[in-house]
Every structure is written in structure tokens, then in C-alpha cells.
């Protein structure tokens, strides 16, 4: 393992050196540092400004020599200065990296979960109506221009929802159509006999219509909350679903451990809300999340059984999700005051930036404000990424389910859930192990179009603005970070390959 990582890192450093050298020469050749001076009519002033800028940027030195000067400074921790703004590149990167990570983290996790889940269901129901609709939607979303999706979301997502909040009421027709769409989607996903399809459609229709009427009658749009009842219902459903996927509902100990975490979460609902009032940083939130997972693992081991690991896994996942709902409920409680803030003026969904100027408030107000700014760009990225992950996971699952070892597992009499989850799903992830790390690093480099449309000060925006402003140091710092992360992503992909496929050895 150590030998493998060492070899890959050395090869990566060589690649990084060559790529930065080539990029420095290309950037030096392509930028126009005197473009803003071309409009000057006074020849003497123009010549003086050109001479000053030539000295500042050291343009009389050959680009190869300038590269090695830059490289020496960069290795010693001096990333340079943006000569137009006068700000150190390190401070520019800190804000840009933080903004991009906020956006990428949520979008990537949601896109992977939804894309893989729907892709696998589509593969298991090959040639069904659900499969054809999934293929059609994935190709449509994959081909949509990112800027067009972003603009539509700004128009109908932000402006439309903000206008809706002035009189938050849904007509019976809208509620009925939403229920019919939900019922149709679940019916196609589950399939089965005509009777089963009708029951699925009716159940999903009634649940959707009932939920929407509850939201309307309780004035939920202006005073949103989850509360113990919704957390109980949702947590119980999640406990059954997670146990069914990870252990099977016949494993009563795993199911009992998962349901116990739901009960514990409800018992601690009000005490946890008091604890959360004192939280003032994401570091504390992360610590509480780790503690929650540890408690879930402990509950799983306390339930015992021949395989405590499965019970611990089910309980830990359920505990994390229940705690996440309590966290979201706390954020929702800030919504009424947030709407009334002068800086918000009753229009909470933002279309530009990553924070509301002059908002003020504590950690929870800032968290809610970040969420409202992240919502639309996250949806834009999820729609594009989701289409790709759906296609990849579907094709991979179809290939895996046609293998001989799947037929052997079924012939041995294993339950279908075991065949799909333990034999099919694990091997389906192998091709995705290459795609996901590279996609994450690509997005960390900046979702340039999305960031530009929503005016988020992320890595992509920094790169474009610096390149247009002829600032070499920020551009090179950006390129080094993206290239280094791409190299690390390839190494991580190889390690994930080895973890998923026992036939692969990294020390071979």
C-alpha cells in the first residue's frame, strides 16, 4: 500500500510540474495586461502606465524564467498577490474554496444518492414504463445547457416562490395534479399486478394530497416545522427502509436497533433543541453528528445477536437521519423571523451571491441564509449530475445482473434483496468509483457556469475574473489546486477499486 501510494504521488508530482509549466506559458501568452490602457489618448501617460505595469508584472523577463520564480515562491508558501485588487492570493482562495465546497458538497451527495437509487431501480425494471421514462428524462437533463437551467430556476424557483409567499395557498386542482403525479411515479417504480399498481397509486395519491392540505391548513409555508409527530412518522419509515436494505426485515435485532434510535431521538427532541440553541459553529455541529453516529453504533451492539455489525450499521444510519431532521427543524424555527428581517423583506430565496448583506443574526440565522442562497444553484447542479449518475448506475447494474454469479446466487435460494444488495449493488459501484471522485474534483474546480449565473464567489468565478483581469498568480494557484486534486482523485479511485473488488491489489 505504502509503495503504491508513494509511486503514484511521485508520478503525480512530475505530472503537476509539467502541467503547471505548460499552463504558465499558455496563460502568459494569452493574457492582455495592457488592454485597459489601449483607450488612453495621451501618449506620454500611456507610455508611463505601460512602463509601470511592465515593471510590476516583470514582463521584461522571459516567461520561462518567470515560471521558475513563481514556482520557487509557491513552494515556499508565497502564492503571490492579485495585482489589480492588491489582495493576497491565499485570502482570495480561502473565500472561493469555502463557497465552492458549500455548493459542491450538497449537490454531489444528493445527485449520487438519487442518481444511483433511480438508476438501479430502472435497471431492475428494464423495459418497463418506469425504465423508459427514466432514460428519457436522464437524456433530456444531460443535454440541457447549465446556464438555461440556472436562469429558469431563478425565474420560476426564486421569483415564483417569493411571489407565492405573499399568499401561500394551493388550489385543489394543483393539489390533485401533484397527487396524481406522485401516485404515477410510485406506481411505475413498484410495478407488479394491476391490483398492486392501483393500491400503490391510491396510497401515494392520498399521502401526497393529505400532506399538501396539511401544509396549507397549518400555514406551514410561513411557519415551517417538522415537530415530534412528523419526525416519528418519517423516522419510523426510514428505520424500516434502512433495515430492509442493509439487513432485511427478517433481522429483528437490526430492526429493533433502528427503531430504538428513533425512540431515543424523540425522547431527546426537546433537550436537543435546548442544546442546539448554544451551538455557534459548524465544528460543534460536526462533533454532535459524530456523537450521534457513535450512539447509534452503541445501540446496535447492545441489541447483540450473531452479527452485531449489521445492527450497528442500521442503527447508526437511522440515528444520523433522525438527528438531521431535528437539526433541520431547528433551522426551520428561524424562518418567521428571517422573513421579517429588513434585509430579506419577505423574499427569502436569493438569486445572487452566497450571503445576504447587512443581515446580521446568530449562527442559525446565518445557516438559514446560506441554505436559501444554496438551494437554487444546488438544484441546478443536481439536475445535471443526476442524469449522468442515473445512466452510469443503470448500465452498470444491467451488466452485473447478467453475470453468472448472480444466477448462481439465485439458484442457491438466496433472497432477492441479498442478491441485489450484496452481490449486485456492491459490484455496480466499481465503475462509479472512477466517475465520482473525478466529478467531485471537477466541481471543486468550480461549477463555472452555475457560479457565474448565480454570482457566487467560488473557485470558478475566481478563475474567470482573474483570467479576464490578466492576474497570473490567482490563475496559477487555481490551476495547481485543481490539478493536485485531480491527481489525488485518481489515487482515491484506485483505492476504492481495491476496497470494492477483492481481485484488485494496489501492491501488485
Amino acid at each position: 500500500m505504502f509503495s503504491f501510494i508513494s509511486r503514484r504521488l511521485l508520478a503525480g508530482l512530475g505530472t503537476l510540474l509539467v502541467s503547471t509549466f505548460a499552463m504558465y506559458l499558455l496563460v502568459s501568452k494569452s493574457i492582455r495586461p495592457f488592454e485597459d490602457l489601449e483607450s488612453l489618448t495621451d501618449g506620454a501617460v500611456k507610455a508611463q502606465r505601460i512602463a509601470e505595469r511592465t515593471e510590476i508584472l516583470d514582463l521584461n523577463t522571459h516567461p520561462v524564467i518567470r515560471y521558475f520564480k513563481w514556482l520557487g515562491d509557491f513552494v515556499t508558501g508565497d502564492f503571490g498577490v492579485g495585482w489589480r485588487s492588491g489582495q493576497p492570493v491565499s485570502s482570495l482562495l480561502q473565500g472561493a474554496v469555502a463557497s465552492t465546497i458549500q455548493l459542491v458538497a450538497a449537490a454531489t451527495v444528493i445527485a449520487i444518492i438519487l442518481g444511483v437509487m433511480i438508476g438501479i431501480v430502472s435497471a431492475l425494471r428494464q423495459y418497463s414504463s418506469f425504465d423508459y421514462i427514466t432514460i428519457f428524462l436522464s437524456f433530456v437533463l444531460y443535454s440541457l445547457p447549465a446556464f438555461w437551467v440556472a436562469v429558469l430556476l431563478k425565474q420560476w424557483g426564486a421569483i415564483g416562490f417569493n411571489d407565492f409567499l405573499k399568499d401561500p395557498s394551493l388550489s385543489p386542482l394543483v393539489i390533485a395534479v401533484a397527487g396524481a403525479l406522485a401516485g404515477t411515479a410510485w406506481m411505475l417504480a413498484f410495478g407488479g399486478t394491476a391490483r398492486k399498481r392501483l393500491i400503490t397509486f391510491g396510497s401515494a395519491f392520498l399521502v401526497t394530497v393529505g400532506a399538501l392540505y396539511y401544509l396549507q391548513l397549518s400555514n406551514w409555508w410561513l411557519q415551517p416545522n417538522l415537530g415530534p409527530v412528523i419526525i416519528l412518522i418519517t423516522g419510523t419509515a426510514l428505520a424500516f427502509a434502512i433495515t430492509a436494505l442493509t439487513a432485511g426485515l427478517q433481522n429483528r435485532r437490526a430492526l429493533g436497533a433502528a427503531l430504538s434510535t428513533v425512540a431515543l431521538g424523540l425522547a431527546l427532541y426537546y433537550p436537543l433543541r435546548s442544546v442546539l440553541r448554544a451551538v455557534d459553529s459548524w465544528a460543534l455541529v460536526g462533533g454532535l453528528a459524530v456523537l450521534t453516529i457513535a450512539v447509534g453504533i452503541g445501540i446496535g451492539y447492545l441489541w447483540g445477536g450473531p452479527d452485531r455489525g449489521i445492527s450497528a450499521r442500521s442503527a447508526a444510519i437511522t440515528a444520523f437521519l433522525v438527528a438531521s431532521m431535528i437539526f433541520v427543524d431547528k433551522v426551520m424555527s428561524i424562518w418567521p423571523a428571517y422573513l421579517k428581517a429588513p434585509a430579506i423583506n419577505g423574499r427569502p430565496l436569493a438569486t445572487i451571491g452566497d450571503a445576504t448583506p447587512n443581515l446580521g443574526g446568530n449562527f442559525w440565522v446565518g445557516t438559514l441564509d446560506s441554505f436559501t442562497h444554496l438551494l437554487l444553484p444546488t438544484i441546478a447542479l443536481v439536475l445535471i449530475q443526476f442524469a449522468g449518475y442515473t445512466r452510469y448506475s443503470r448500465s452498470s447494474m444491467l451488466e452485473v445482473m447478467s453475470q453468472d454469479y448472480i444466477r448462481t446466487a439465485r439458484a442457491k435460494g438466496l433472497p432477492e434483496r441479498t442478491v441485489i444488495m450484496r452481490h449486485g449493488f456492491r459490484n455496480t459501484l466499481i465503475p462509479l468509483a472512477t466517475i465520482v471522485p473525478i466529478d467531485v474534483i471537477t466541481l471543486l474546480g468550480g461549477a463555472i457556469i452555475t457560479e457565474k449565473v448565480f454570482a457566487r464567489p467560488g473557485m470558478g468565478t475566481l478563475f474567470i475574473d482573474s483570467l479576464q483581469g490578466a492576474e497570473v498568480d490567482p490563475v496559477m494557484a487555481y490551476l495547481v489546486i485543481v490539478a493536485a486534486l485531480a491527481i489525488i482523485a485518481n489515487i482515491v479511485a484506485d483505492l476504492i477499486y481495491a476496497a470494492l473488488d477483492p481481485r484488485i491489489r494496489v501492491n501488485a
Side-chain angles (χ1 to χ4, degrees):
M1 176 73 73
F2 178 77
S3 175
F4 166 79
I5 295 178
S6 300
R7 292 197 308 270
R8 293 299 302 271
L9 286 177
L10 289 174
L13 288 175
T15 303
L16 188 62
L17 184 64
V18 173
S19 62
T20 54
F21 178 73
M23 291 306 300
Y24 192 94
L25 296 182
L26 290 173
V27 171
S28 299
K29 187 70 174 177
S30 62
I31 63 174
R32 299 178 60 187
F34 308 120
E35 184 176 8
D36 58 325
L37 303 179
E38 294 175 357
S39 59
L40 293 178
T41 56
D42 191 328
V45 174
K46 182 176 182 179
Q48 181 183 359
R49 298 279 181 85
I50 291 176
E52 291 174 353
R53 191 165 296 180
T54 300
E55 183 179 356
I56 293 173
L57 301 180
D58 196 18
L59 297 179
N60 287 327
T61 304
H62 195 275
V64 175
I65 305 300
R66 292 207 309 270
Y67 166 76
F68 285 105
K69 287 183 178 180
W70 168 84
L71 182 62
D73 292 338
F74 191 90
V75 171
T76 57
D78 182 7
F79 295 166
V81 177
W83 63 271
R84 289 189 185 273
S85 62
Q87 295 184 0
V89 173
S90 57
S91 63
L92 293 174
L93 286 175
Q94 288 176 0
V97 170
S99 179
T100 296
I101 287 178
Q102 284 181 343
L103 175 60
V104 169
T108 302
V109 171
I110 295 173
I112 291 174
I113 293 175
L114 290 179
V116 172
M117 179 178 65
I118 294 179
I120 289 177
V121 173
S122 178
L124 296 176
R125 295 188 47 75
Q126 188 182 18
Y127 303 133
S128 66
S129 299
F130 181 83
D131 185 35
Y132 288 130
I133 293 174
T134 300
I135 294 173
F136 173 75
L137 289 178
S138 63
F139 274 104
V140 169
L141 293 174
Y142 193 77
S143 61
L144 288 178
F147 69 88
W148 188 69
V149 174
V151 170
L152 287 182
L153 285 173
K154 291 177 72 170
Q155 176 64 39
W156 300 106
I159 298 175
F161 182 76
N162 289 335
D163 292 339
F164 167 75
L165 288 180
K166 295 178 181 178
D167 182 21
S169 61
L170 299 173
S171 67
L173 177 61
V174 172
I175 294 177
V177 170
L181 291 175
T184 302
W186 285 107
M187 178 187 69
L188 294 176
F190 279 95
T193 62
R195 182 174 179 272
K196 181 180 178 181
R197 287 171 178 261
L198 185 60
I199 293 175
T200 303
F201 177 86
S203 301
F205 177 84
L206 292 176
V207 169
T208 304
V209 170
L212 291 176
Y213 269 115
Y214 168 78
L215 297 181
Q216 185 158 308
L217 295 176
S218 63
N219 200 27
W220 193 89
W221 302 108
L222 299 179
Q223 296 178 338
N225 66 87
L226 295 180
V229 176
I230 295 179
I231 293 177
L232 171 62
I233 296 172
T234 308
T236 303
L238 288 172
F240 276 95
I242 291 166
T243 305
L245 292 174
T246 59
L249 292 178
Q250 72 278 3
N251 190 329
R252 298 302 180 184
R253 293 182 183 272
L255 180 60
L259 291 174
S260 297
T261 59
V262 177
L264 180 61
L266 286 173
L268 297 177
Y269 173 77
Y270 290 105
L272 282 175
R273 285 178 62 88
S274 300
V275 171
L276 290 176
R277 289 194 190 100
V279 171
D280 58 358
S281 69
W282 281 103
L284 288 176
V285 174
L288 291 174
V290 173
L291 179 61
T292 298
I293 295 173
V295 170
I297 293 174
I299 291 175
Y301 274 95
L302 287 176
W303 271 84
D307 194 347
R308 297 185 177 184
I310 295 178
S311 299
R313 181 172 57 191
S314 301
I317 297 174
T318 305
F320 177 78
L321 294 177
V322 171
S324 298
M325 287 191 288
I326 296 176
F327 176 83
V328 171
D329 183 68
K330 172 59 180 175
V331 176
M332 285 181 172
S333 66
I334 309 296
W335 184 261
Y338 181 75
L339 281 178
K340 296 177 182 178
I344 301 302
N345 195 28
R347 303 185 70 82
L349 284 194
T351 57
I352 59 173
D354 60 352
T356 301
N358 305 318
L359 176 61
N362 58 13
F363 168 79
W364 295 102
V365 174
T367 300
L368 178 58
D369 187 56
S370 297
F371 285 171
T372 58
H373 283 79
L374 280 171
L375 182 61
L376 296 183
T378 298
I379 293 174
L381 290 180
V382 166
L383 289 176
I384 305 301
Q385 286 185 283
F386 160 81
Y389 291 135
T390 300
R391 293 171 59 208
Y392 290 131
S393 58
R394 178 185 179 275
S395 60
S396 181
M397 191 67 174
L398 285 175
E399 181 180 357
V400 167
M401 295 304 289
S402 64
Q403 299 297 315
D404 291 339
Y405 62 84
I406 296 294
R407 287 193 290 270
T408 302
R410 284 172 170 158
K412 289 164 59 178
L414 292 177
E416 187 66 14
R417 185 204 63 83
T418 303
V419 173
I420 293 173
M421 295 302 298
R422 293 193 178 182
H423 296 274
F425 179 68
R426 180 187 179 96
N427 291 287
T428 299
L429 296 177
I430 294 178
L432 292 174
T434 301
I435 300 165
V436 172
I438 302 300
D439 280 357
V440 171
I441 299 308
T442 300
L443 286 176
L444 281 176
I448 296 177
I449 297 176
T450 303
E451 287 184 353
K452 201 67 177 176
V453 173
F454 289 100
R456 289 189 62 85
M459 291 286 286
T461 301
L462 174 66
F463 172 73
I464 292 296
D465 292 345
S466 300
L467 193 61
Q468 291 176 343
E471 296 181 305
V472 177
D473 287 345
V475 171
M476 289 305 301
Y478 165 87
L479 293 172
V480 169
I481 291 175
V482 174
L485 290 176
I487 293 170
I488 295 173
N490 279 282
I491 298 175
V492 170
D494 290 337
L495 296 177
I496 295 175
Y497 253 69
L500 291 174
D501 192 344
R503 297 170 298 178
I504 298 175
R505 295 289 182 267
V506 296
N507 59 353

